[in-house]
């Protein structure tokens, strides 16, 4: 794929995987020198998945070790696997083992010099975005209500993930003072990752997400980042359009490969 913004030289997929891992750190990780096994008590797929960072010399043995590691933690075995030639053999092995494909996700990148479209008149009245150095209770509440799975214990783990690397948190309010949309900028090795973009359902299509995104990009430019990346579900055309209009282009994509639940042999 040819990147018109020249980001192929700045952020290759190998580097993007390193940045993505640092921006969403798991509570526990085991680096085999080939694969990285990550666990965070089941909170988010990303923090509870195998990152096949390098080709395994013995793929079957590596998969067996991963299965045992996750079994000890009572977690399903999930792989986060890029859809590219480097991982073709691994994907073929997982296909043969009956692993599902879930949550196909685009990795998008943006050069610092990319042009963002002018804010339309309809969006000009959106209130100013608040920038925080820690996720406030309001920020967390909105993000978790949109993207979260679980209760307070799981949210506590999620907060550790979000604050696991230097980050900024954006928040914009609706007319009545309630939080309308939020977003996070992870700052990793001179690059900025856009995460946790969430808008309250009743406030969607009113320019809030765009306002938050532009504020985070401005913060990144002020912080001296070289480029940006973000992750967006392929099944979310509205978000993909927003990011494309902001100058982001696809650099790659991945899926989560999860083992199918095994039927119990112990009766009903």
């Amino acid at each position: 794929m040819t990147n018109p913004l020249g980001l192929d030289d700045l952020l290759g997929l190998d580097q993007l995987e390193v940045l993505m891992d640092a921006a969403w750190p798991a509570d526990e990780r085991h680096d085999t020198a080939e694969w990285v096994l990550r666990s965070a008590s089941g909170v988010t797929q990303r923090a509870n998945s195998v990152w096949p960072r390098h080709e395994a010399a013995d793929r079957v043995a590596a998969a067996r070790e991963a299965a045992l590691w996750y079994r000890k933690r009572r977690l399903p075995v999930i792989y986060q696997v890029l859809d590219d030639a480097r991982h073709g053999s691994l994907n073929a092995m997982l296909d043969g083992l009956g692993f599902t494909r879930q949550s196909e996700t685009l990795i998008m990148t943006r050069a610092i010099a990319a042009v963002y479209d002018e804010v339309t008149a309809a969006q000009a009245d959106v209130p100013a975005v608040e920038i925080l150095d820690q996720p406030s209770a309001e920020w967390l509440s909105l993000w978790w209500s949109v993207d979260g799975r679980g209760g307070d214990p799981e949210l506590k783990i999620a907060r550790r993930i979000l604050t696991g690397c230097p980050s900024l948190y954006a928040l914009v309010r609706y007319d009545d003072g309630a939080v309308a949309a939020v977003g996070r900028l992870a700052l990793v090795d001179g690059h900025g990752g856009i995460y946790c973009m969430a808008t309250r359902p009743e406030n969607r299509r009113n320019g809030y997400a765009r306002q938050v995104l532009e504020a985070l990009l401005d913060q990144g430019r002020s912080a001296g980042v070289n480029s940006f990346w973000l992750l967006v579900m392929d099944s979310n055309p509205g978000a993909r359009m927003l990011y494309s209009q902001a100058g982001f282009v696809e650099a790659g994509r991945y899926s989560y490969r999860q083992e199918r639940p095994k039927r119990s042999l112990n009766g009903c």
Side-chain angles (χ1 to χ4, degrees), residues 42-201:
V43 177
T44 79
Q45 287 179 305
R46 194 175 310 141
N48 294 272
S49 61
V50 179
W51 169 26
R53 184 172 185 178
H54 303 295
E55 176 70 17
D58 186 336
R59 196 177 304 111
V60 174
R64 188 179 302 119
E65 179 182 356
L68 179 61
W69 194 84
Y70 283 99
R71 189 174 301 122
K72 288 180 177 178
R73 288 152 183 80
R74 298 185 178 183
L75 293 171
V77 182
I78 304 173
Y79 290 77
Q80 183 183 14
V81 188
L82 283 169
D83 184 13
D84 67 352
R86 295 177 304 153
H87 297 87
S89 297
L90 175 58
N91 271 317
M93 183 189 77
L94 296 175
D95 287 341
L97 293 172
F99 274 58
T100 64
R101 290 177 182 261
Q102 302 177 7
S103 308
E104 185 175 8
T105 303
L106 276 63
I107 308 170
M108 303 185 76
T109 50
R110 178 191 191 273
I112 194 66
V115 177
Y116 196 96
D117 294 342
E118 292 290 333
V119 176
T120 65
Q123 296 164 333
D125 294 332
V126 176
V129 176
E130 302 170 28
I131 301 297
L132 315 169
D133 59 9
Q134 292 290 321
S136 65
E138 288 180 302
W139 191 102
L140 284 167
S141 178
L142 176 55
W143 171 66
W144 194 247
S145 71
V146 174
D147 285 339
R149 302 290 186 276
D152 289 340
E154 289 78 14
L155 177 57
K156 184 176 180 180
I157 295 170
R159 190 184 191 283
R160 287 202 301 269
I161 294 171
L162 299 181
T163 59
C165 79
S167 301
L168 296 172
Y169 308 85
L171 175 157
V172 65
R173 300 180 186 276
Y174 184 58
D175 293 343
D176 62 1
V179 179
V182 298
R184 168 181 177 246
L185 175 67
L187 299 168
V188 184
D189 294 337
H191 303 281
I194 304 293
Y195 285 85
C196 304
M197 293 286 292
T199 303
R200 193 181 302 278

Side-chain angles (χ1 to χ4, degrees), residues 1-8 106-111 228 230 243-244 246-252:
M1 179 185 302
T2 300
N3 189 320
L5 299 176
L7 274 173
D8 290 326
L106 276 63
I107 308 170
M108 303 185 76
T109 50
R110 178 191 191 273
F228 298 93
L230 59 80
Y243 301 139
S244 295
F248 284 87
V249 294
E250 182 179 343

Side-chain angles (χ1 to χ4, degrees), residues 187-250:
L187 299 168
V188 184
D189 294 337
H191 303 281
I194 304 293
Y195 285 85
C196 304
M197 293 286 292
T199 303
R200 193 181 302 278
E202 57 267 31
N203 294 138
R204 289 173 184 164
R205 298 182 180 84
N206 289 309
Y208 293 106
R210 185 179 176 120
Q211 187 88 349
V212 166
L213 178 60
E214 178 66 6
L216 291 175
L217 295 176
D218 284 342
Q219 289 294 315
R221 284 188 286 265
S222 297
V225 305
N226 298 313
S227 56
F228 298 93
W229 85 92
L230 59 80
L231 311 174
V232 59
M233 295 281 289
D234 183 57
S235 59
N236 190 342
R240 285 171 28 221
M241 180 178 295
L242 170 69
Y243 301 139
S244 295
Q245 291 173 345
F248 284 87
V249 294
E250 182 179 343

